[in-house]
């Protein structure tokens, strides 16, 4: 996507920067599919991450090494390495003596994260309006275009990361390294939460709210910008859907249970 956040939170197989492509919307390859299955730990980690992002592997789902090895036609050693990569990025929880599970951020954790974010970001907005330059607004406009493209591509991994990165970019413009470091941690977890629980419709609303914020900030209307940011973070939090959608789905989880 070419934003300055590309290197900020890179880790392992880099799930947050997975680019849209011909495999973005498919389920993980099974032994009966004609397309070769991913055979490196990094590729397997990316593919499992895509299944999590596309909600084919729901939060809390168990990921048995033996079953994954059968699906991907690789050794359990490669599967174990892929799961460690996913755990590093908090997509998977490794529980001693129980195995690997898709991360399941709780509603309470989510409320706490957004409470802290609102407290910090309302203060940040005042500094941002005072400091932002025309060049900064140009960077934000480019970032908005990247958000909209990810939503158009239906790439849930990239869109969730970019929507969170918008707020980190504001902190970087303010120039407070401590604030930026805190927001990077909070926004990273928020990106996972929205990837798991936010609908495409609400993601679209988020980028529209980002644009409204930029308009208010650019005119120097501090109170309006503060109001819009607080409303935006509350809207994101309240729109999250913690209950899984009803109805049968053909997905990797079903393959793992066969």
């Amino acid at each position: 996507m070419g934003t300055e956040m590309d290197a900020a939170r890179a880790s392992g197989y880099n799930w947050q920067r997975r680019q849209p492509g011909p495999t973005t919307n498919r389920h993980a390859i099974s032994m009966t599919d004609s397309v070769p299955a991913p055979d490196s730990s990094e590729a397997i980690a990316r593919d499992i991450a895509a299944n999590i992002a596309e909600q084919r592997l729901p939060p809390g789902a168990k990921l048995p090494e033996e079953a994954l090895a059968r699906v991907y036609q690789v050794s359990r050693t490669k599967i174990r390495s892929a799961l460690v990569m996913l755990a590093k990025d908090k997509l998977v929880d490794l529980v001693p003596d129980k195995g690997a599970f898709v991360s399941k951020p709780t509603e309470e954790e989510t409320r706490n994260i957004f409470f802290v974010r609102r407290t910090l970001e309302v203060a940040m907005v005042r500094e941002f309006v005072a400091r932002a330059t025309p060049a900064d607004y140009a960077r934000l406009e480019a970032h908005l275009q990247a958000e909209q493209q990810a939503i158009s591509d239906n790439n849930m991994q990239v869109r969730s990361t970019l929507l969170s990165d918008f707020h980190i970019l504001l902190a970087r413009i303010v120039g407070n390294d401590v604030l930026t470091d805190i927001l990077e941690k909070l926004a990273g977890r928020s990106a996972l939460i929205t990837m798991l629980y936010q609908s495409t419709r609400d993601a679209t609303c988020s980028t529209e709210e980002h644009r409204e914020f930029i308009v208010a900030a650019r005119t120097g209307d501090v109170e309006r910008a503060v109001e819009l940011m607080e409303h935006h973070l509350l809207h994101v939090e309240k729109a999250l859907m913690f209950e899984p959608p009803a109805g049968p789905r053909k997905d990797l989880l079903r393959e793992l249970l066969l």
Side-chain angles (χ1 to χ4, degrees), residues 191-209:
L192 171 62
I193 289 168
T194 55
M195 186 182 76
L196 293 172
Y197 302 125
Q198 187 181 55
S199 70
T200 298
R201 176 185 175 188
D202 289 314
T204 302
C205 288
S206 284
T207 195
E208 290 172 353
E209 289 168 0

Side-chain angles (χ1 to χ4, degrees), residues 119-179:
T119 302
L120 291 175
E121 294 191 47
V122 163
M124 177 185 71
V125 165
R126 297 183 184 279
E127 286 293 312
F128 170 81
V129 174
R131 293 172 179 264
T133 66
D136 293 326
Y137 284 111
R139 290 159 65 197
L140 289 168
E141 290 288 351
H143 191 93
L144 279 181
Q145 290 179 13
E147 289 179 5
Q148 291 161 357
Q149 185 62 53
I151 291 170
S152 177
D153 292 340
N154 198 30
N155 191 321
M156 286 175 274
Q157 291 169 267
V158 174
R159 89 180 184 203
S160 294
T161 302
L162 288 172
L163 289 170
S164 290
D165 282 353
F166 176 85
H167 299 261
I168 299 173
L169 184 52
L170 296 181
R172 289 186 180 278
I173 291 169
V174 167
N176 186 319
D177 291 340
V178 174
L179 175 63

Side-chain angles (χ1 to χ4, degrees), residues 13 40-46 48 68 72 74 76-88 92 94:
Y13 60 98
S40 71
S41 296
E42 292 80 4
I44 291 167
R46 283 194 298 270
I48 294 174
L68 285 168
Y72 288 102
V74 297
R76 291 181 65 175
T77 300
K78 284 190 175 181
I79 295 299
R80 195 172 298 120
S81 178
L83 293 174
V84 169
M85 293 177 191
L86 291 162
K88 182 178 179 181
V92 165
L94 300 178

Side-chain angles (χ1 to χ4, degrees), residues 25-27 51 54-58 250-253:
N25 291 316
R26 66 169 174 83
H27 61 80
N51 277 278
E54 292 157 18
Q55 300 174 3
R56 301 178 187 278
L57 280 170
K250 179 175 176 56
D251 54 22
L252 179 56
L253 179 62

Side-chain angles (χ1 to χ4, degrees), residues 231-250:
H231 168 78
H232 165 60
L233 291 172
L234 278 169
H235 182 196
V236 172
E237 176 188 341
K238 292 183 181 300
L240 295 172
M241 299 178 294
F242 291 92
E243 293 299 321
R249 296 174 300 166
K250 179 175 176 56

Side-chain angles (χ1 to χ4, degrees), residues 57 61-72 251-258:
L57 280 170
K62 185 174 176 58
L63 301 172
E65 287 182 9
E66 184 175 354
L68 285 168
R70 183 176 67 249
V71 168
Y72 288 102
D251 54 22
L252 179 56
L253 179 62
R254 185 168 299 180
E255 291 188 34
L256 295 179
L257 296 176
L258 291 177

